[in-house]
Amino acid sequence: DVKVTQSSRYLVKRTGEKVFLECVQDMDHENMFWYRQDPGLGLRLIYFSYDVKMKEKGDIPEGYSVSREKKERFSLILESASTNQTSMYLCASSIGTPASQPQHFGDGTRLSIL
Amino acid sequence: AQSVAQPEDQVNVAEGNPLTVKCTYSVSGNPYLFWYVQYPNRGLQFLLKYITGDNLVKGSYGFEAEFNKSHTSFHLKKPSALVSDSALYFCASGSSNTGKLIFGQGTTLQVKP
């Protein structure tokens, strides 16, 4: 079974802090994704990566950046956290063409910005 | 524009009754369609997908979904609901043209004993 592990289940940070969310997958998947989940809005794609050192903006990249130095690890960075970034963050991975293959999700990080 | 709509925020059904969770989509090119389930404090779990072929797709935990091209729908069904099916369900659509995957806003399924 594919395992996608997010480093923290719950995180509380302060406004203006730089925040790192880490994600590791163990199935050698080339694609990795970061989403945020808000009630009534479903999942919205922040960034994704097709390969090491490759990144593409999703639908809501503002205020975020990512890093993929190794194939198994994809990090989401909040450069200067703001209260409107309080949300559930989900990491996912997949093989092949992103639109046609199932994504495997981690259990999420619930981030609160005070 | 590519979009996915789940018209019901919540679906309530009695245990043992059939259930349907609705999804409609709008994509250019051939659609790739998925259903996922999310239990409390967990990530999304893949249930089933439609790429091509038979319009009725069978998936995990006894769920199935029917692809209807003329109605641009991909409704999730189960003949007999269980209390343990209570969860948040997401429909997603990928486009062969754009390569993007879009999720619906989710439908909460509540199965009562």
Side-chain angles (χ1 to χ4, degrees), chain A:
Chain A
D1 264 2
V2 177
K3 183 87 173 152
V4 178
T5 304
Q6 295 184 230
S7 55
S8 304
R9 293 297 304 275
Y10 301 94
L11 210 51
V12 180
K13 297 291 183 181
R14 297 209 174 272
T15 303
E17 280 192 71
K18 191 168 185 175
V19 181
F20 293 85
L21 303 184
E22 306 287 345
C23 175
V24 176
Q25 51 96 1
D26 66 357
M27 285 300 291
D28 204 35
H29 285 176
E30 59 264 37
N31 307 315
M32 296 190 75
F33 308 84
W34 276 106
Y35 295 91
R36 64 176 283 176
Q37 179 181 6
D38 300 289
L41 297 178
L43 273 68
R44 292 180 292 167
L45 182 64
I46 305 171
Y47 267 96
F48 60 102
S49 170
Y50 292 132
D51 202 349
V52 175
K53 297 193 185 294
M54 302 293 289
K55 60 184 179 183
E56 297 283 343
K57 292 180 180 179
D59 298 317
I60 52 164
E62 295 78 20
Y64 303 94
S65 63
V66 290
S67 173
R68 194 163 181 204
E69 296 297 318
K70 294 185 178 181
K71 192 173 186 178
E72 67 270 20
R73 186 179 297 270
F74 193 35
S75 303
L76 179 70
I77 304 154
L78 284 66
E79 298 291 344
S80 177
S82 64
T83 55
N84 63 12
Q85 292 177 310
T86 291
S87 186
M88 169 73 94
Y89 289 86
L90 292 168
C91 176
S93 71
S94 74
I95 59 170
T97 306
S100 64
Q101 297 298 326
Q103 295 183 12
H104 302 266
F105 285 81
D107 283 338
T109 296
R110 190 166 292 281
L111 175 65
S112 296
I113 307 296
L114 305 179

Side-chain angles (χ1 to χ4, degrees), chain A residues 33 35 45 50 59 94 97-103, chain B residues 1-5 23-36 46 48-52 67 72 74 90-104:
Chain A
F33 308 84
Y35 295 91
L45 182 64
Y50 292 132
D59 298 317
S94 74
T97 306
S100 64
Q101 297 298 326
Q103 295 183 12
Chain B
Q2 185 176 350
S3 66
V4 176
C23 173
T24 59
Y25 66 91
S26 174
V27 298
S28 56
N30 294 324
Y32 307 119
L33 299 162
F34 303 83
W35 276 101
Y36 290 84
F46 168 71
L48 52 79
K49 71 175 181 181
Y50 171 84
I51 302 295
T52 186
F67 171 66
T72 60
F74 189 58
F90 287 98
C91 181
S93 168
S95 166
S96 59
N97 282 7
T98 67
K100 291 181 68 174
L101 188 66
I102 301 290
F103 286 82

Side-chain angles (χ1 to χ4, degrees), chain B residues 6 9 17-18 27 29 31 34 39 41 43 48 57 59 64 66 71 94 96 107:
Chain B
Q6 294 180 240
D9 289 336
N17 283 1
V27 298
F34 303 83
Y39 298 101
N41 299 315
L48 52 79
V57 180
E64 56 191 27
E66 187 171 9
H71 293 152
S96 59
T107 299

